Amino acid sequence: MTTIQYDQDGLIPVIIQNAETKEVLTLAYANEEAVQKTMDTNETWLYSRSRKELWNKGATSGNTQQVTAVRLDCDGDSLIYEVIPNGPACHTGKDSCFFETIHGERNESPGDIFAQLTSLIKTREEEMPEGAYTTYLFEEGVDKICKKVGEEAAEVIIAAKNRDAQELSMETADLFYHVLVLLQEQKVGISQVVDVLKERHAVKTTSK
């Protein structure tokens, strides 16, 4: 097993990554104590090079991170903390510190889009802005949301039967959106759905 290789200052670079979307949130440093506290508590602990002290991510801002895995690279000289964030990772209020593209064009993954849409739906439920369609759905309640899910599912079937790729894409997008609204109304995280898919996949893989 590879051992952790700290540098001459007793530090190791840590990439903090969203465990669900795989988006890189920030780059920081940790010493041996911070790494151990991270593994003991499943919370993000790091070392501030400017303040010369340990710090617990989110202790003051409330933007905590639940650590689901700590991964070590093949040379042992860098780590990845896979986390489920409770709020933005960046002090600017952005989800990730890497929000500026200085060359080329950033390609967003399906996971990025789902994360952004899930976050927006959650914010809509909390703030209930007047005139927003999502606000209307939450005001109408679960019966209305379920009805829309059923209607959109039927539209997906019709589009598939018509062999219309563009229509199928649009209706599937509508279905996904309404399902995400339903999950938020029921307080079921998309990560819970993903966990079920992972479990089913693992069972099928091991049974072969």
Side-chain angles (χ1 to χ4, degrees):
M1 180 176 178
T2 306
T3 57
I4 299 177
Q5 304 295 322
Y6 296 94
D7 66 15
Q8 64 273 17
D9 297 317
L11 302 176
I12 187 169
V14 179
I15 298 166
I16 300 177
Q17 181 182 43
N18 189 308
E20 297 174 341
T21 67
K22 303 308 177 185
E23 180 180 20
V24 174
L25 302 179
T26 192
L27 171 66
Y29 289 82
N31 61 8
E32 185 174 2
E33 184 181 0
V35 173
Q36 190 59 55
K37 286 177 76 70
T38 296
M39 293 191 290
D40 289 342
T41 64
N42 291 324
E43 296 177 355
T44 296
W45 282 87
L46 300 163
Y47 183 83
S48 171
R49 293 176 297 170
S50 59
R51 299 193 305 270
K52 308 294 184 185
E53 64 182 11
L54 292 180
W55 62 286
N56 180 204
K57 173 64 178 174
T60 55
S61 67
N63 299 323
T64 56
Q65 295 173 344
Q66 176 190 345
V67 178
T68 61
V70 176
R71 295 164 54 195
L72 179 65
D73 89 327
C74 58
D75 294 323
D77 57 4
S78 60
L79 293 170
I80 292 177
Y81 289 177
E82 291 193 356
V83 306
I84 298 176
N86 179 35
C90 184
H91 73 280
T92 64
K94 298 287 188 179
D95 289 338
S96 169
C97 292
F98 298 96
F99 57 85
E100 288 193 58
T101 301
I102 62 173
H103 178 72
E105 184 176 350
R106 180 175 181 266
N107 292 320
E108 292 187 311
S109 69
D112 292 333
I113 300 301
F114 274 100
Q116 292 168 17
L117 184 54
T118 299
S119 177
L120 177 61
I121 290 170
K122 184 175 184 290
T123 300
R124 286 286 191 269
E125 185 186 36
E126 292 171 348
E127 300 178 355
M128 299 292 276
E130 186 177 352
Y133 177 65
T134 309
T135 298
Y136 162 74
L137 290 175
F138 284 125
E139 288 176 340
E140 290 296 308
V142 66
D143 288 346
K144 180 65 175 181
I145 298 170
C146 287
K147 182 181 178 183
K148 290 300 298 181
V149 169
E151 290 174 354
E152 299 302 340
E155 294 291 341
V156 168
I157 293 170
I158 292 170
K161 295 290 286 183
N162 290 338
R163 299 286 181 178
D164 188 325
Q166 183 176 4
E167 182 185 0
L168 180 59
S169 298
M170 294 175 63
E171 298 300 344
T172 301
D174 288 343
L175 176 60
F176 284 173
Y177 160 76
H178 285 92
V179 168
L180 289 175
V181 173
L182 180 61
L183 290 176
Q184 179 60 36
E185 197 278 339
Q186 297 283 304
K187 301 301 178 287
V188 175
I190 193 169
S191 60
Q192 294 173 251
V193 179
V194 172
D195 286 343
V196 173
L197 292 172
K198 287 179 180 178
E199 290 173 7
R200 291 177 179 175
H201 175 69
V203 169
K204 289 182 179 180
T205 302
T206 55
S207 64
K208 289 183 179 181

